[in-house]
Amino acid sequence: MIPRIYIPGDSGALALGAEKVAKAIASELAERGIEAKIVRNGSRGAYFLEPMVEVATANGRVAYGPVKPSDVKSLFDGGFLTGGHHKRWLGAPDKIPFLAKQTRLTFARCGVTDPLSLESYKKHGGLNGLTNALGLTPAAIVAQVTESGLRGRGGAGFPTGIKWKTVLDTSGDRKYIVCNADEGDSGTFADRMIMEGDPFVLIEGMTIAGIATGATKGFVYVRSEYPHAVAVMNKAVDVARKAGVLGASVMGSPYAFDMEIRVGAGAYVCGEETALLDSLEGKRGMVRAKPPLPAHKGLFGKPTVINNVISLASVPVIMDKGAAYYKDFGMGRSRGTIPIQIAGNVKYAGLFEAAFGMTLGEIVDEIGGGTATGRPVKAVQVGGPLGAYFPRTLFDTPFDYEAFAAKDGLIGHAGIVVFDDTADMLKQARFAMEFCAIESCGKCTPCRIGSTRGVETIDKLAAGIEPEKNLALVTDLCNTMKFGSLCALGGFTPYPVMSSITHFPDDFKPAPVRVAAE
């Protein structure tokens, strides 16, 4: 039996040196005259262990990591092709604590399968959901998704089933499925991991969405900063089309569905669904006023479902295991699992998929292991650059849409960025305003002008100029932006600014006057 060596080829692992490790292993195999197959899988998401190399042995897969090119010779000397011990030995991947504690539904195949092998995908449960969906009416599929409690994983948390039902019930000579893969939040990489590590699950989810709503065409909108994801998705679509999963007759059924990958120029505002549609249509990405909703008049004026990557990639699990199975995970109105992306100044950075309900403290202290610097955690930003900064006093907040909203926070795309006690929260508040000013599409005044005035006012605070007056002005600006902006870019920028002011007031006080020694 030819040994199989798994080396992640996703961009996260590549950034940590996976390509050099792959070349070193291939060179060592050639030098020793050993025949083996190298599989470039996706990462399992434990990025603090990447590059993590796995070997298929008689007793299952054995992992080693983080592997450096300089480790390769000693790995072979230690018999790593048969799971031999080495200083980089980690044992069975699913027994590694960071991975063993997870509830993997959406990411079950990431790091396990060959991303571009449809056979490998099917061997691990792929296409079961689509097969089941083809045996149901469109209304029954929508009912299943609605019953599961699945909500948008891109930030808004809107019930997926309601959106699908609206498109199903809206007449149109053409309907579209648009996947929002414009993953622009700081500290997020879940969409990228799916597209690079398990692309067929996204294709399957979009196809089910098409059958459920009467859409025959799909588009995946990816930002240009994700070249590896674009390449893998394009190859996967070709494989799926040749296998009859996509095309005029989906898996031999009367349903037609095909899709394309489209690349955006990297404007943050194009993560907003209507700006994304404008960009897809070849226009400058600018937010549209609602109504009409995209479900009624979306892409090219046709009924359109717009869902995030993780939302669509969760659908095959629901159609395979059933709505009740999926709904059994989570708490309150937050059902199923959520891929939490742990980043920033943290010891164990990576993706952690779990049911809703873990507290923020558990995620940061137990799963993330605290800060990488070893200093105390000062703040955690949840939900990207527009998310609120939570202090340790709010670490008992459960990871749940409503629980975060009650504390003036948001889960967003579930990216969390950890900061230690050296962080200056006034500078973080300024960054939020500056980010909004740079990324604003300019359509509405509160966002366009409010963010620019916000930067200027915070600069005055930093200089100690009329602190009380300017603090009141920042608060007033945030209130105007929150309730007057056309979309979430301007509407959510107040979250990081006001949470910084509320929870870290000392960082906004004028620096003490230093009197020179006589």
Side-chain angles (χ1 to χ4, degrees):
M1 183 177 171
I2 298 175
R4 294 173 72 88
I5 304 169
Y6 295 84
I7 309 170
D10 76 308
S11 50
L14 292 176
L16 292 164
E19 195 60 37
K20 291 179 181 178
V21 171
K23 288 178 180 177
I25 288 176
S27 177
E28 196 68 24
L29 286 169
E31 190 174 312
R32 294 175 185 246
I34 299 171
E35 186 180 1
K37 180 175 176 58
I38 294 177
V39 178
R40 302 307 298 272
N41 57 323
S43 172
R44 291 181 186 258
Y47 282 110
F48 61 95
L49 295 174
E50 292 290 3
M52 189 168 84
V53 177
E54 298 177 35
V55 183
T57 72
N59 296 316
R61 277 157 74 158
V62 176
Y64 299 82
V67 175
K68 299 176 182 177
S70 57
D71 295 321
V72 171
K73 183 174 174 56
S74 60
L75 275 170
F76 276 86
D77 290 342
F80 100 110
L81 289 179
T82 54
H85 279 265
H86 183 272
K87 63 180 181 180
R88 303 293 184 192
W89 186 88
L90 297 169
D94 55 3
K95 298 289 176 61
I96 296 170
F98 185 86
L99 298 171
K101 294 174 184 175
Q102 299 189 38
T103 302
R104 289 224 159 182
L105 301 184
T106 308
F107 284 79
R109 282 174 293 267
C110 272
V112 177
T113 59
D114 178 343
L116 292 172
S117 169
L118 196 57
E119 287 306 310
S120 179
Y121 180 68
K122 289 192 282 190
K123 184 179 177 182
H124 289 83
L127 299 183
N128 287 351
L130 178 55
T131 301
N132 290 343
L134 289 170
L136 300 173
T137 63
I141 299 172
V142 171
Q144 278 262 53
V145 173
T146 305
E147 176 60 26
S148 73
L150 177 66
R151 294 167 69 176
R153 297 291 191 256
F158 189 82
T160 304
I162 292 176
K163 189 177 284 189
W164 286 22
K165 188 175 190 310
T166 305
V167 175
L168 172 63
D169 293 343
T170 302
S171 60
D173 57 348
R174 182 113 197 207
K175 298 180 182 180
Y176 296 102
I177 306 296
V178 173
C179 173
N180 183 349
D182 192 64
E183 186 174 53
D185 283 356
S186 46
T188 57
F189 42 87
D191 294 357
R192 189 191 72 209
M193 272 185 62
I194 283 288
M195 290 187 286
E196 295 178 1
D198 192 17
F200 293 120
V201 77
L202 177 55
I203 293 170
E204 184 179 359
M206 288 184 69
T207 306
I208 293 170
I211 293 166
T213 60
T216 55
K217 183 75 174 183
F219 293 95
V220 179
Y221 184 92
V222 191
R223 55 181 35 236
S224 59
E225 292 90 339
Y226 278 9
H228 296 285
V230 172
V232 174
M233 284 303 305
N234 273 315
K235 289 176 184 176
V237 166
D238 286 342
V239 171
R241 194 178 288 130
K242 288 173 183 174
V245 176
L246 295 173
S249 176
V250 173
M251 292 175 63
S253 73
Y255 297 102
F257 188 78
D258 209 343
M259 56 188 284
E260 296 177 24
I261 312 303
R262 292 292 176 89
V263 182
Y268 184 79
V269 76
C270 287
E272 195 279 334
E273 59 183 18
T274 61
L276 185 156
L277 292 178
D278 268 13
S279 180
L280 259 182
E281 292 176 0
K283 306 168 189 171
R284 177 184 173 189
M286 294 186 77
V287 176
R288 300 176 185 176
K290 302 174 190 176
L293 296 169
H296 293 135
K297 288 187 178 181
L299 187 64
F300 305 118
K302 306 297 183 183
T304 304
V305 166
I306 307 177
N307 281 138
N308 163 265
V309 171
I310 305 303
S311 306
L312 290 162
S314 300
V315 169
V317 178
I318 294 165
M319 298 311 299
D320 178 18
K321 305 287 188 181
Y325 174 85
Y326 190 81
K327 193 176 183 178
D328 193 43
F329 298 93
M331 64 177 285
R333 290 180 52 224
S334 302
R335 311 312 307 176
T337 58
I338 181 79
I340 303 163
Q341 297 130 93
I342 307 169
N345 188 343
V346 66
K347 191 173 182 182
Y348 303 126
L351 180 134
F352 192 91
E353 184 179 358
F356 284 97
M358 293 182 69
T359 66
L360 185 57
E362 287 177 277
I363 296 165
V364 174
D365 296 329
E366 296 177 26
I367 306 303
T371 64
T373 56
R375 299 182 67 90
V377 174
K378 179 173 183 175
V380 177
Q381 187 177 34
V382 183
L386 308 182
Y389 289 99
F390 276 24
R392 184 164 285 281
T393 53
L394 293 180
F395 274 21
D396 60 346
T397 308
F399 219 75
D400 163 79
Y401 289 107
E402 281 66 43
F404 265 72
K407 302 287 177 66
D408 291 323
L410 55 102
I411 283 179
H413 191 40
I416 75 168
V417 181
V418 180
F419 297 82
D420 72 11
D421 62 353
T422 62
D424 184 334
M425 301 313 293
L426 183 145
K427 289 181 179 178
Q428 294 304 123
R430 185 192 188 279
F431 170 77
M433 283 292 192
E434 183 183 36
F435 180 85
C436 181
I438 292 169
E439 295 292 346
S440 175
C441 76
K443 189 162 186 174
C444 70
T445 304
C447 176
R448 182 182 71 249
I449 302 299
S451 55
T452 302
R453 295 290 87 85
V455 172
E456 295 169 357
T457 309
I458 293 174
D459 281 345
K460 290 177 182 177
L461 273 172
I465 300 169
E466 299 182 291
E468 289 186 14
K469 177 182 174 182
N470 283 307
L471 200 57
L473 181 54
V474 169
T475 304
D476 189 45
L477 277 169
C478 284
N479 192 54
T480 302
M481 291 174 70
K482 183 175 182 178
F483 297 105
S485 297
L486 195 56
C487 83
L489 178 55
F492 283 173
T493 295
Y495 280 78
V497 178
M498 291 309 301
S499 61
S500 296
I501 293 170
T502 301
H503 301 304
F504 309 97
D506 289 349
D507 288 14
F508 290 82
K509 291 178 180 176
V513 177
R514 293 180 177 84
V515 180
E518 298 260 342

Short mmCIF file of all heavy atoms in Angstrom, two decimals, residues 35 114 142 178 217-218 232 256 266 284 305 312 332 348 396 508 510:
data_model
loop_
_atom_site.label_atom_id
_atom_site.label_comp_id
_atom_site.label_asym_id
_atom_site.label_seq_id
_atom_site.Cartn_x
_atom_site.Cartn_y
_atom_site.Cartn_z
N GLU A 35 8.14 5.49 -2.65
CA GLU A 35 6.96 5.89 -3.41
C GLU A 35 5.84 6.23 -2.43
O GLU A 35 5.47 5.43 -1.57
CB GLU A 35 6.50 4.76 -4.34
CG GLU A 35 5.37 5.18 -5.25
CD GLU A 35 4.90 4.05 -6.17
OE1 GLU A 35 5.46 2.93 -6.07
OE2 GLU A 35 3.97 4.27 -6.96
N ASP A 114 -9.43 15.30 0.20
CA ASP A 114 -8.77 16.00 -0.90
C ASP A 114 -9.80 16.99 -1.44
O ASP A 114 -10.85 16.58 -1.94
CB ASP A 114 -8.37 14.99 -1.99
CG ASP A 114 -7.70 15.65 -3.19
OD1 ASP A 114 -7.83 16.88 -3.36
OD2 ASP A 114 -7.08 14.92 -3.98
N VAL A 142 -37.51 24.18 1.66
CA VAL A 142 -37.54 25.45 2.38
C VAL A 142 -38.06 25.25 3.81
O VAL A 142 -37.53 25.83 4.75
CB VAL A 142 -38.42 26.48 1.63
CG1 VAL A 142 -38.63 27.74 2.47
CG2 VAL A 142 -37.79 26.85 0.29
N VAL A 178 -26.90 34.02 -4.94
CA VAL A 178 -25.62 34.72 -4.84
C VAL A 178 -24.98 34.39 -3.50
O VAL A 178 -25.59 34.58 -2.45
CB VAL A 178 -25.81 36.25 -4.98
CG1 VAL A 178 -24.48 36.97 -4.71
CG2 VAL A 178 -26.32 36.60 -6.38
N LYS A 217 -29.31 29.75 -11.69
CA LYS A 217 -27.96 30.27 -11.85
C LYS A 217 -27.44 30.79 -10.52
O LYS A 217 -28.17 31.43 -9.76
CB LYS A 217 -27.97 31.42 -12.87
CG LYS A 217 -26.60 32.01 -13.17
CD LYS A 217 -25.77 31.11 -14.07
CE LYS A 217 -24.47 31.79 -14.49
NZ LYS A 217 -23.70 30.97 -15.42
N GLY A 218 -26.17 30.50 -10.24
CA GLY A 218 -25.56 30.97 -9.01
C GLY A 218 -24.25 31.68 -9.26
O GLY A 218 -23.55 31.40 -10.24
N VAL A 232 -9.27 27.35 -6.43
CA VAL A 232 -9.86 26.08 -6.00
C VAL A 232 -11.34 26.01 -6.38
O VAL A 232 -11.82 24.99 -6.88
CB VAL A 232 -9.67 25.85 -4.48
CG1 VAL A 232 -10.41 24.60 -4.02
CG2 VAL A 232 -8.19 25.72 -4.14
N ALA A 256 -32.34 22.25 -13.24
CA ALA A 256 -31.12 22.80 -13.82
C ALA A 256 -30.51 23.80 -12.85
O ALA A 256 -31.22 24.59 -12.23
CB ALA A 256 -31.42 23.50 -15.15
N GLY A 266 -12.23 44.09 -3.76
CA GLY A 266 -11.82 44.17 -2.37
C GLY A 266 -12.37 45.35 -1.59
O GLY A 266 -11.78 45.77 -0.61
N ARG A 284 -20.08 50.40 -9.81
CA ARG A 284 -19.37 50.69 -8.58
C ARG A 284 -20.22 50.19 -7.42
O ARG A 284 -21.43 50.40 -7.41
CB ARG A 284 -19.15 52.20 -8.45
CG ARG A 284 -18.47 52.61 -7.16
CD ARG A 284 -18.38 54.12 -7.04
NE ARG A 284 -17.87 54.50 -5.74
CZ ARG A 284 -17.84 55.74 -5.28
NH1 ARG A 284 -18.30 56.72 -6.03
NH2 ARG A 284 -17.38 56.00 -4.08
N VAL A 305 -31.59 35.16 -3.91
CA VAL A 305 -31.17 34.75 -2.57
C VAL A 305 -29.72 35.15 -2.40
O VAL A 305 -28.88 34.81 -3.23
CB VAL A 305 -31.30 33.21 -2.38
CG1 VAL A 305 -30.54 32.77 -1.13
CG2 VAL A 305 -32.74 32.78 -2.29
N LEU A 312 -24.71 28.77 3.45
CA LEU A 312 -24.96 27.82 2.36
C LEU A 312 -24.25 26.49 2.61
O LEU A 312 -24.80 25.43 2.29
CB LEU A 312 -24.50 28.43 1.03
CG LEU A 312 -25.37 29.59 0.52
CD1 LEU A 312 -24.63 30.41 -0.52
CD2 LEU A 312 -26.69 29.07 -0.05
N GLY A 332 -31.45 29.21 22.65
CA GLY A 332 -32.38 30.28 22.28
C GLY A 332 -32.76 30.24 20.81
O GLY A 332 -33.12 29.19 20.28
N TYR A 348 -3.53 30.15 21.11
CA TYR A 348 -3.96 29.10 20.19
C TYR A 348 -4.93 29.68 19.16
O TYR A 348 -6.15 29.66 19.36
CB TYR A 348 -4.63 27.95 20.95
CG TYR A 348 -3.75 27.34 22.02
CD1 TYR A 348 -4.19 27.22 23.33
CD2 TYR A 348 -2.46 26.90 21.72
CE1 TYR A 348 -3.38 26.67 24.33
CE2 TYR A 348 -1.64 26.37 22.70
CZ TYR A 348 -2.11 26.25 24.00
OH TYR A 348 -1.30 25.71 24.97
N ASP A 396 -18.66 36.59 30.68
CA ASP A 396 -19.68 35.57 30.97
C ASP A 396 -20.79 35.59 29.91
O ASP A 396 -21.75 34.81 30.00
CB ASP A 396 -20.28 35.79 32.36
CG ASP A 396 -20.96 37.15 32.50
OD1 ASP A 396 -20.74 38.03 31.63
OD2 ASP A 396 -21.70 37.34 33.48
N PHE A 508 -9.34 57.37 27.49
CA PHE A 508 -9.81 58.59 26.82
C PHE A 508 -9.58 59.84 27.67
O PHE A 508 -9.99 60.93 27.28
CB PHE A 508 -11.31 58.45 26.48
CG PHE A 508 -11.56 57.45 25.39
CD1 PHE A 508 -11.62 56.09 25.67
CD2 PHE A 508 -11.71 57.87 24.07
CE1 PHE A 508 -11.82 55.16 24.67
CE2 PHE A 508 -11.92 56.94 23.06
CZ PHE A 508 -11.98 55.58 23.35
N PRO A 510 -7.22 62.77 29.34
CA PRO A 510 -5.98 63.45 28.94
C PRO A 510 -4.79 62.90 29.70
O PRO A 510 -4.89 62.54 30.88
CB PRO A 510 -6.24 64.92 29.32
CG PRO A 510 -7.73 65.05 29.44
CD PRO A 510 -8.22 63.72 29.90
#
